[in-house]
């Protein structure tokens, strides 16, 4: 069964369906009305089949279940890009009794179809370039012509020129337009000339016909920018050659058509990838309304184009044009040149790199290394102390002569001394004290490393947070542009004044500023990250995103999720983590080591009252040479040699060996003062340890409370964002129908923006809270081995089991 759909009212459609149902046997399913749709294309083009298939699929999918929509192959007409040829194709299908609905899928066919006032069947003109210039009817935003529905985008070329001028400055622009379209609609360029004149730009209208080389030759040498309308009459090789020639001349280009042409070399376009799918959906909805009984002439003609600037950065580099900050705020950049030397970082990698590269950690490591020498110095007191010496002496001659040979006028002696400490309470105490102080320094270094790791991972997450905020701000700016388009449509049909348009233009300026600020936040966060890692502060980085399911995070284990999912388990979890944190805290271990050293010092100051110092000492001295008066053995003067013996003389070598025992008896009361001081210092350290334990426990419990709050907030903020987005969709739809005001839509959009930012922040707030919790307990999960991590969870399960709660 087929029907001729021609201005059918809802009542007629209902009666027809009722008659159909009554006429069919009861056991047979109801047959859907057949609707045959004819399609007219302006001329041959490589993309024709793809665009036609897109529209046919969208219409078929939307009407499936209501109508049996058919697109007979014989009801497709492809003209020759001439007004005569297109008019002939349109008239053929309008006169064809086997065509129920006609779709004009081209600017020329849309112009021809929309220009008729005696349409015999429902007709949809899908590509109206400029309804006002084309002289098409528009009564209060509808065609007002029986059987005519068309789709028009207001001021599209004018807004493209404004965006093009923001991208790059130019004084003379070539406007390339399909020659067939220009012949069919001669006045089509009037609006373009007016817009260019208002901008102070000289305009050259260039009619494009194959070959592309002729177009390049027709360009004036003074042209410094080129605007490309859909040049559908050029083959792909011809079109690509044209664009390549424009790039070779270093001319910036702007595409009416959209992203697909930017991907092929055009510098920029405002038309997003979604333009044709949205247009196809709009045509499908219009046809659905017609088939359900709405008068085609009563369907609104205005169509909102989502505007999103897309820039081909490879082309920009080739022609020497780089967009300004205000342009880059919400632009999609293709072929972005990767930052030279950009480092790829992960959360775990940043944590490990911070420990190795951070300057504060390096300085602390040198301090610990220097402290280790104190232990060596303390140990050195127990090793033999060896000293060698030499002495050369000259005395006056008469004194040497009178020394009876005991001291020559000139002498040189050499000797050595060995001292070995056998027992010394201060030395023994110093060994233990220095080891304890070194342990304290080691734990202090561990504490600093944990602080630096926390700083590094927080900086990493802050970069990701800032990058996410940029995306949210850019999406909000895209929504604002879409709402500006709605305001322009409302103004064009008389349901809104110019104030609404200005309001949204102001909102776009504010949104751009917010995007720029968000982008600067990213750079500031990257500087902070590079500083922690001791890298050049403005070195570019590429960060891997973080998911709650990543293995290095506690949230990747279901047992953690179960431990914080309700108040009862969370209370046990806090108790367990407090115990774990107190046992692993490097701050407490540092103080424990210092207390141990101080206890040994106190014991030493007490022992010195009765404990002596015992040392063994040996020395050896040899007279190496002597001369002058008094040298040699002593002889009695004037006694013949051999008649009287010489006095006994020692040889040149002398040695000694002794044990020294010393016990101080009274030193002015200094030992009593030292003992009292050591006792007071020990008491101070013990009190300080108790205070630090309280602070550690407080930090653990505080960070855990934050984790307990921020973790469920992720889902809650996501729910709020979903509700705010649905509210925005509802208010936007109502605004497009004139039911709500611009204030209502602004409020809804701001609420959606705030909710989206809170949702993004919720994840990073939780991750930072969790990092602070891990710092509070003295260890980070991504530094633990699989065995240590499993041991941690086994202890957690056992603690819960002791409390009568299962984690399974």
């Amino acid at each position: 069964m087929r029907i001729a759909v021609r201005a059918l009212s809802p009542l007629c459609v209902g009666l027809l369906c009722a008659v159909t149902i009554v006429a069919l046997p009861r056991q047979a399913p109801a047959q859907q009305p057949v609707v045959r749709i004819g399609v007219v294309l302006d001329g041959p083009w490589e993309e024709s089949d793809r665009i036609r298939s897109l529209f046919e699929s969208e219409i078929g999918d939307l009407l499936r279940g209501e109508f049996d929509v058919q697109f007979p192959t014989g009801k497709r007409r492809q003209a020759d890009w001439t007004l005569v040829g297109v008019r002939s194709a349109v008239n053929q299908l309008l006169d064809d009794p086997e065509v129920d609905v006609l779709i004009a899928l081209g600017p020329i066919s849309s112009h021809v179809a929309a220009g008729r006032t005696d349409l015999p069947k429902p007709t949809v003109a899908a590509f109206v370039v400029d309804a006002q210039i084309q002289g098409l009817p528009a009564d209060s935003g509808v065609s007002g012509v029986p059987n005519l529905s068309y789709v028009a985008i207001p001021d599209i070329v004018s807004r493209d020129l404004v965006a093009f001028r923001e991208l790059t400055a130019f004084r003379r622009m070539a406007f390339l337009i399909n020659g067939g379209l220009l012949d069919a609609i001669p006045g089509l360029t009037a609006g373009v000339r007016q817009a260019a004149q208002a901008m102070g730009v000289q305009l050259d209208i260039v009619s494009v016909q194959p070959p592309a080389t002729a177009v390049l030759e027709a360009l004036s040498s003074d042209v410094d920018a080129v605007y490309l309308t859909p040049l559908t009459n050029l083959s792909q090789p011809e079109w690509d050659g044209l664009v390549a020639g424009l790039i070779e001349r270093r001319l910036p280009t702007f595409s009416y058509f959209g992203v697909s042409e930017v991907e092929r070399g055009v510098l920029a376009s405002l038309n997003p990838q979604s333009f044709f799918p949205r247009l196809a959906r709009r045509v499908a909805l219009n046809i659905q309304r017609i088939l359900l009984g709405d008068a085609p002439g009563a369907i609104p003609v205005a169509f909102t184009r989502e505007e999103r600037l897309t820039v081909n950065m490879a082309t920009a580099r080739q022609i020497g044009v780089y967009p300004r900050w205000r342009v880059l705020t919400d632009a999609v950049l293709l072929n972005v040149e990767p930052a030279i030397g950009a480092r790829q970082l992960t959360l775990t990698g940043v944590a490990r790199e911070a420990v190795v590269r951070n300057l504060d950690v390096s300085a602390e490591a040198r301090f610990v290394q220097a402290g280790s020498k104190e232990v060596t110095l303390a140990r050195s007191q127990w090793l033999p102390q060896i000293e060698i010496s030499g002495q050369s002496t000259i005395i006056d001659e008469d004194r040497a002569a009178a020394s009876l040979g005991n001291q020559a006028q000139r002498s040189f002696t050499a000797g050595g001394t060995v001292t070995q400490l056998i027992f010394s309470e201060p030395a023994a105490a110093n060994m233990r004290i220095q080891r304890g102080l070194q342990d304290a320094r080691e734990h202090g270094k561990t504490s600093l490393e944990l602080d630096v790791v926390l700083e590094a991972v927080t900086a990493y997450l802050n970069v990701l947070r800032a990058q996410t905020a940029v995306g949210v701000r850019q999406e909000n700016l895209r929504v604002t542009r879409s709402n500006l388009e709605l305001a322009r449509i409302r103004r064009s049909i008389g349901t809104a004044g110019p104030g609404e348009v200005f309001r949204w233009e102001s909102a776009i300026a504010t949104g751009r500023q917010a995007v720029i600020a968000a982008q600067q936040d990213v750079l500031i966060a990257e500087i902070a990250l590079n500083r922690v890692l001791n890298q050049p502060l403005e070195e570019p980085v590429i960060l891997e995103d973080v998911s709650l399911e990543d293995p290095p995070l506690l949230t990747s284990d279901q047992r953690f999720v179960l431990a914080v999912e309700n108040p009862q388990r969370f209370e046990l979890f806090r108790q367990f983590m407090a115990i774990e944190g107190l046992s692993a805290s490097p701050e407490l271990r540092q103080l424990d080591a210092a207390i141990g050293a101080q206890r040994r010092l106190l014991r030493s100051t007490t022992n010195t009252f009765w404990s002596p110092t015992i040392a063994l000492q040996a020395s050896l001295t040899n007279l190496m040479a002597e001369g002058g008066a008094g040298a040699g053995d002593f002889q009695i003067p004037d006694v013949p040699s051999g008649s009287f013996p010489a006095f006994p003389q020692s040889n040149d070598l002398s040695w000694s060996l002794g044990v020294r025992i010393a016990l101080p008896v009274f030193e002015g009361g200094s030992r009593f003062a030292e003992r009292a001081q050591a006792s007071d210092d020990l008491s101070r350290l013990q009190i300080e340890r108790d205070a630090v334990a309280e602070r550690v426990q407080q930090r653990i419990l505080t960070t855990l409370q934050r984790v307990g709050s921020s973790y469920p907030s992720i889902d809650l903020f996501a729910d709020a964002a979903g509700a705010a987005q649905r509210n925005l969709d509802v208010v936007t739809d109502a605004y497009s129908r004139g039911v709500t005001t611009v204030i209502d839509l602004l409020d809804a959009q701001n609420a959606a923006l705030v909710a989206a930012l809170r949702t993004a922040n919720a994840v990073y707030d939780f991750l930072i809270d969790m990092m602070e919790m891990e710092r509070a307990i003295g260890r980070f999960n991504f530094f633990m081995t699989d065995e240590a991590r499993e041991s941690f969870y086994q202890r957690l399960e056992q603690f819960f089991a002791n409390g009568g709660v299962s984690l399974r």
Side-chain angles (χ1 to χ4, degrees):
M1 176 179 291
R2 62 180 293 271
I3 60 172
V5 182
R6 184 178 303 173
L8 293 177
S9 67
L11 179 60
C12 293
V13 174
L15 290 174
L16 180 59
C17 292
V19 171
T20 303
I21 294 173
V22 171
L24 291 174
R26 290 182 180 271
Q27 58 270 40
Q31 185 176 354
Q32 296 175 352
V34 176
V35 179
R36 294 174 180 172
I37 299 178
V39 178
V40 176
L41 301 169
D42 290 355
W45 178 42
E46 281 87 345
E47 293 291 309
S48 293
D49 289 340
R50 184 181 68 84
I51 298 298
R52 176 185 52 76
S53 297
L54 173 65
F55 278 77
E56 291 179 358
S57 297
E58 191 66 39
I59 295 169
D61 292 342
L62 180 64
L63 299 181
R64 185 176 293 112
E66 295 179 298
F67 299 92
D68 181 9
V69 179
Q70 299 177 4
F71 295 91
T73 304
K75 307 307 177 184
R76 299 171 184 163
R77 295 290 184 272
Q78 181 172 274
D80 57 358
W81 296 113
T82 66
L83 181 61
V84 174
V86 172
R87 181 177 288 117
S88 174
V90 170
N91 291 337
Q92 287 178 27
L93 294 184
L94 287 176
D95 296 336
D96 191 336
E98 295 185 351
V99 174
D100 300 317
V101 178
L102 173 65
I103 301 177
L105 279 184
I108 301 177
S109 58
S110 294
H111 175 71
V112 170
R116 289 187 52 166
T117 58
D118 58 342
L119 294 171
K121 62 187 64 174
T123 301
V124 179
F127 289 94
V128 170
V129 180
D130 193 316
Q132 184 177 0
I133 292 177
Q134 294 176 237
L136 301 183
D139 183 12
S140 299
V142 299
S143 73
V145 176
N147 281 333
L148 175 61
S149 171
Y150 66 86
V151 180
I153 307 171
D155 303 326
I156 183 171
V157 176
S158 299
R159 297 202 299 280
D160 280 355
L161 295 186
V162 171
F164 195 9
R165 193 69 180 277
E166 282 189 344
L167 183 63
T168 179
F170 53 85
R171 296 182 179 179
R172 185 170 184 176
M173 184 186 76
F175 187 82
L176 307 188
I177 185 172
N178 185 327
L181 180 61
L182 186 60
D183 293 340
I185 317 173
L188 195 59
T189 58
V192 181
R193 289 188 181 279
Q194 184 178 358
Q197 185 177 3
M199 297 168 58
V201 174
Q202 183 178 350
L203 189 68
D204 292 353
I205 303 295
V206 179
S207 177
V208 175
Q209 299 285 359
T213 53
V215 179
L216 293 171
E217 293 171 357
L219 294 180
S220 169
S221 59
D222 294 336
V223 166
D224 52 1
V226 177
Y227 184 91
L228 288 82
T229 63
L231 304 178
T232 50
N233 57 336
L234 293 182
S235 65
Q236 285 192 1
E238 287 283 350
W239 190 92
D240 290 336
L242 172 62
V243 173
L246 296 174
I247 292 176
E248 185 177 353
R249 294 191 183 188
R250 300 175 67 85
L251 290 173
T253 52
F254 202 94
S255 168
Y256 174 105
F257 202 81
V259 174
S260 60
E261 291 191 345
V262 177
E263 292 173 343
R264 292 169 59 189
V266 175
L267 176 62
S269 177
L270 270 183
N271 250 352
Q273 196 76 48
S274 61
F275 175 73
F276 278 106
R278 291 182 64 247
L279 183 60
R281 171 51 65 97
R282 173 61 180 276
V283 170
L285 290 170
N286 286 3
I287 292 176
Q288 182 186 49
R289 293 181 62 175
I290 292 171
L291 295 181
L292 292 178
D294 286 359
I299 298 176
V301 299
F303 176 71
T304 60
R305 177 185 73 159
E306 290 185 354
E307 294 183 354
R308 186 72 180 271
L309 182 66
T310 303
V311 181
N312 189 326
M313 296 304 295
T315 301
R317 291 190 294 271
Q318 287 178 285
I319 66 177
V321 172
Y322 199 87
R324 293 177 293 174
W325 279 110
R326 60 178 299 167
V327 174
L328 293 175
T329 52
D330 59 336
V332 177
L333 305 181
L334 305 181
N335 303 318
V336 177
E337 189 174 38
I340 299 176
R343 294 183 302 126
Q344 295 188 351
L345 302 175
T346 64
L347 185 65
T348 303
V350 160
R352 298 183 184 279
E353 187 174 341
V355 174
V356 175
R357 298 189 57 88
N358 183 264
L359 291 179
D360 293 330
V361 174
S362 297
E364 187 70 12
R366 297 299 183 276
F367 173 72
V368 172
Q369 186 176 358
S372 67
K373 303 306 182 289
E374 295 290 340
V375 179
T376 303
L377 289 174
R379 185 185 302 112
S380 67
Q381 295 180 344
W382 293 96
L383 298 177
Q385 310 294 309
I386 302 175
E387 178 183 344
I388 60 174
S389 63
Q391 181 177 350
S392 178
T393 305
I394 300 177
I395 62 176
D396 53 293
E397 182 177 358
D398 57 342
R399 187 154 57 91
S403 68
L404 302 179
N406 289 324
Q407 188 173 10
Q409 183 180 2
R410 296 183 300 276
S411 63
F412 174 73
T413 59
T417 301
V418 178
T419 303
Q420 173 63 57
L421 184 65
I422 297 176
F423 176 78
S424 172
E425 170 58 29
N430 191 42
M431 277 282 292
R432 176 65 184 85
I433 290 169
Q434 292 304 326
R435 286 172 180 169
L437 293 178
Q438 181 62 13
D439 288 343
R441 285 188 283 266
E442 292 282 357
H443 292 308
K445 176 174 174 288
T446 301
S447 178
L448 177 63
E449 288 175 346
L450 291 173
D451 289 337
V452 169
V453 169
L454 175 61
E455 187 178 5
V457 296
T458 300
Y460 184 101
L461 295 171
N462 281 334
V463 174
L464 292 179
R465 183 208 301 270
Q467 291 175 344
T468 303
V470 170
V472 172
R473 293 286 185 184
Q474 288 179 331
E475 176 61 20
N476 180 68
L477 190 54
R478 184 197 64 77
V479 173
T480 304
R481 288 190 178 279
S482 178
N483 291 334
L484 172 62
E485 187 68 23
L486 288 175
R488 285 169 174 161
I489 290 175
R490 284 162 57 93
R491 181 184 179 187
S492 68
I493 62 178
T495 59
E500 285 196 17
V501 175
F502 298 148
R503 186 69 176 269
W504 288 112
E505 288 176 346
S506 174
I508 285 178
T510 302
R512 279 183 162 184
Q513 187 277 331
V515 171
I516 291 176
Q519 290 171 335
Q520 297 307 312
D521 288 342
V522 173
L523 298 177
I524 292 171
E526 288 179 349
I527 289 173
L529 176 60
N530 282 325
R531 199 275 307 166
V532 178
L533 300 180
N534 187 29
Q535 295 289 351
L537 295 184
E538 292 193 342
E539 182 180 60
V541 294
I542 301 174
L543 306 187
E544 181 182 274
D545 202 1
V546 178
S547 169
L548 298 183
E549 288 74 33
D550 289 346
L553 300 180
L554 284 171
T555 49
S556 63
D557 196 296
Q558 186 63 21
R559 286 169 289 187
F560 171 83
V561 178
L562 293 174
V564 300
E565 72 173 358
N566 63 54
Q568 179 199 24
R569 288 179 173 176
F570 188 50
E571 181 180 1
L572 285 174
F573 184 67
R574 294 197 304 272
Q575 296 174 10
F576 171 77
M577 294 297 277
I579 295 172
E580 288 281 310
L582 290 173
S583 65
S585 171
E587 293 86 356
L588 294 180
R589 290 182 176 181
Q590 182 179 11
L591 282 170
D592 287 339
I595 288 171
Q598 191 63 30
R599 282 201 181 102
R600 185 63 183 89
L601 177 61
L602 176 60
R603 190 167 74 248
S604 177
T605 57
T606 302
N607 292 343
T608 54
F609 283 96
W610 56 265
S611 178
T613 298
I614 304 173
L616 177 67
Q617 185 173 24
S619 64
L620 180 68
T621 304
N622 187 50
L623 177 64
M624 306 299 295
E626 62 180 357
D633 293 339
F634 173 71
Q635 297 286 337
I636 296 177
D638 301 329
V639 175
S641 177
S643 63
F644 194 86
F647 287 99
Q649 297 287 320
S650 63
N651 60 20
D652 294 338
L653 179 67
S654 62
W655 59 270
S656 66
L657 178 64
V659 176
R660 182 176 181 272
I661 301 176
L663 178 64
V665 177
F666 182 71
E667 294 181 341
S670 62
R671 284 182 291 172
F672 292 96
E674 288 173 354
R675 185 175 62 177
Q677 183 183 39
S679 178
D680 290 340
D681 283 341
L682 178 59
S683 298
R684 174 186 60 81
L685 287 173
Q686 289 172 333
I687 295 173
E688 184 177 341
R689 203 260 185 206
D690 292 339
V692 170
E694 284 185 345
R695 285 195 292 270
V696 169
Q697 189 171 11
Q698 178 192 15
R699 184 177 184 180
I700 293 171
L701 296 177
T702 299
T703 56
L704 278 166
Q705 290 291 355
R706 289 175 182 162
V707 168
S709 172
S710 58
Y711 185 67
S713 295
I714 296 175
D715 291 336
L716 295 176
F717 278 124
D719 292 343
Q725 184 59 49
R726 290 190 294 272
N727 176 65
L728 176 60
D729 294 339
V730 171
V731 176
T732 301
D733 179 67
Y735 178 74
S736 67
R737 292 184 285 107
V739 178
T740 58
T741 66
V742 63
I743 300 300
D744 296 326
L745 184 52
L746 278 170
D747 288 343
Q749 183 177 339
N750 287 334
L753 171 63
V754 171
L757 288 173
R758 285 178 176 174
T759 300
N761 285 333
V763 176
Y764 297 112
D765 286 342
F766 166 70
L767 289 173
I768 290 174
D769 288 343
M770 193 168 65
M771 294 299 105
E772 290 182 348
M773 178 200 72
E774 294 188 36
R775 167 60 188 94
I777 65 173
R779 57 171 172 260
F780 285 95
N781 190 59
F782 38 68
F783 283 154
M784 298 170 65
T785 63
D786 292 340
E787 293 77 10
R789 193 176 294 115
E790 183 58 31
S791 176
F792 166 81
Y793 279 112
Q794 288 178 359
R795 294 195 303 274
L796 177 63
E797 288 187 79
Q798 184 60 48
F799 188 85
F800 269 63
N802 294 339
V805 179
S806 174
L807 266 185
R808 294 291 183 178

